[in-house]
Amino acid sequence: MQLPAEAVAATVLIEIVRISALPTERGVPYPGRAVAHWAGTEAADALTLIENLPGSEQHRCGFSPGWSIRAYEDSLNLALFEAAFCFRCHEVRMHGMAVPPAMTTQFFDADTPPAQALLALFRAAAS
């Protein structure tokens, strides 16, 4: 999976969000509860795991994401990007000031060990 390289390099904090609904407008944050914040090697390891997610073909479920990450630089003002993950249809939707149009919708193989490891990290963050 592709992430915006400059944004990844600038990321100092990742916020993990348990999504509760779809946003009402394009480009606004996914509503939900922040369940954890990862910094340092924890954030870097998570971004590496996400970048190594194998690609997949599109599956149809209507896009019902359960989790998102928001990446922040050191100012912590606005998110560099947000990526929302649907493990049913294998789709990731990204938005943010650092996301080029070609990266806004991507597909990952949710049944692979890296994807299952990411899902386990999300679930552990919420518990």
Side-chain angles (χ1 to χ4, degrees), residues 3 7-16 36-52 69-74 76 80-81 85 118 121-122 125:
L3 294 175
V8 168
T11 298
V12 298
L13 179 83
I14 294 176
E15 182 175 58
I16 311 309
H37 294 91
W38 297 336
T41 57
E42 195 172 32
D45 290 348
L47 290 170
T48 298
L49 181 60
I50 292 167
E51 287 179 314
N52 288 318
I69 64 163
R70 294 181 188 139
Y72 294 91
E73 62 185 347
D74 56 5
L76 302 177
L80 295 167
F81 67 91
F85 296 82
L118 180 63
L121 285 174
F122 289 158

Side-chain angles (χ1 to χ4, degrees), residues 11-101:
T11 298
V12 298
L13 179 83
I14 294 176
E15 182 175 58
I16 311 309
V17 177
R18 182 67 170 126
I19 297 173
S20 59
L22 291 176
T24 56
E25 297 177 35
R26 232 174 161 48
V28 299
Y30 282 80
R33 180 175 60 93
V35 296
H37 294 91
W38 297 336
T41 57
E42 195 172 32
D45 290 348
L47 290 170
T48 298
L49 181 60
I50 292 167
E51 287 179 314
N52 288 318
L53 291 175
S56 176
E57 294 182 14
Q58 183 175 10
H59 294 73
R60 288 284 180 198
C61 84
F63 192 67
S64 181
W67 302 95
S68 79
I69 64 163
R70 294 181 188 139
Y72 294 91
E73 62 185 347
D74 56 5
S75 70
L76 302 177
N77 287 335
L78 293 174
L80 295 167
F81 67 91
E82 180 174 20
F85 296 82
C86 180
F87 284 83
R88 283 184 272 178
C89 68
H90 302 203
E91 186 173 339
V92 178
R93 292 186 186 172
M94 282 195 293
H95 64 95
M97 61 184 181
V99 180

